[in-house]
Amino acid sequence: MISFGKRLKELRTEKNISQKDLAEIIGTNNSSVCDWEGGRAEPNFDTLVRLCAFFGVSADYLLGISDY
């Protein structure tokens, strides 16, 4: 199972945006995005929903539960 951090970084780099840009889009700071991608923290539920909406993926996909 792929980790949340790896999946997030993969989606972010596919869109060619920086951690700072993603943080601004979803209303957080770039250190949070860095911590998520590094596996040191996880977003809260509301932020997870915003990430899924921005990337157009399901929570299961972003969390590494499914590949769809």
Side-chain angles (χ1 to χ4, degrees):
M1 183 166 81
I2 191 167
S3 72
F4 168 78
K6 281 187 165 187
R7 184 75 34 100
L8 178 62
K9 184 173 183 176
E10 180 181 282
L11 290 167
R12 182 181 59 76
T13 56
E14 283 176 7
K15 283 200 176 264
N16 198 31
I17 59 173
S18 68
Q19 290 178 341
K20 182 179 178 184
D21 291 339
L22 178 59
E24 288 176 9
I25 290 165
I26 63 167
T28 191
N29 56 56
N30 61 321
S31 64
S32 292
V33 176
C34 181
D35 287 345
W36 301 335
E37 288 185 359
R40 294 177 294 279
E42 295 176 348
N44 63 32
F45 179 78
D46 291 335
T47 305
L48 178 63
V49 170
R50 286 194 299 274
L51 286 166
C52 291
F54 175 73
F55 290 115
V57 297
S58 69
D60 282 354
Y61 179 81
L62 190 53
L63 295 172
I65 295 169
S66 77
D67 289 332
Y68 309 104

